[in-house]
Amino acid sequence: MKSFKKGETVQLWDWWAAENGREDDPQMLRGHGNLGVIVRKSRKSDSAEHGEELGSRAKNCYLVALCGEGLKSISADWLRYPREHKK
């Protein structure tokens, strides 16, 4: 499982779309390519996309401050280090 630390810059990334040349696909992850900063690991009480609590899904999520979108809990599966900060 990927691990990020508070304050690190990350990029929201749709792996499938990028690897299959489908970055214009309407099903692509909204915000693909946007940068953000890790605020902390998500908590069970944090809100998911549609307002419900994350619950057990929080285990693999981080609260991320995304440029132009505010704070969002996002699965580590959809995050990566930007290429210029690759680790």
Side-chain angles (χ1 to χ4, degrees), residues 24-59:
D24 59 345
D25 191 316
Q27 296 293 321
M28 187 179 66
L29 181 67
R30 196 181 96 181
H32 170 75
N34 288 356
L35 295 177
V37 175
I38 298 291
V39 175
R40 62 171 165 76
K41 284 279 292 166
S42 290
R43 298 179 183 134
K44 290 181 179 182
S45 60
D46 286 343
S47 294
E49 186 70 24
H50 299 290
E52 74 280 2
E53 287 187 355
L54 283 172
S56 63
R57 294 176 290 165
K59 184 171 119 178

Side-chain angles (χ1 to χ4, degrees), residues 4 7-14 29-39 62-72 74 78-86:
F4 300 98
E8 289 184 317
T9 299
V10 292
Q11 188 173 31
L12 189 56
W13 196 255
D14 187 326
L29 181 67
R30 196 181 96 181
H32 170 75
N34 288 356
L35 295 177
V37 175
I38 298 291
V39 175
Y62 289 87
L63 189 65
V64 180
L66 289 168
C67 299
E69 296 201 38
L71 297 174
K72 293 195 174 213
I74 300 173
W78 298 113
L79 298 172
R80 73 172 192 171
Y81 290 107
R83 294 227 182 263
E84 62 271 18
H85 299 294
K86 195 172 184 179

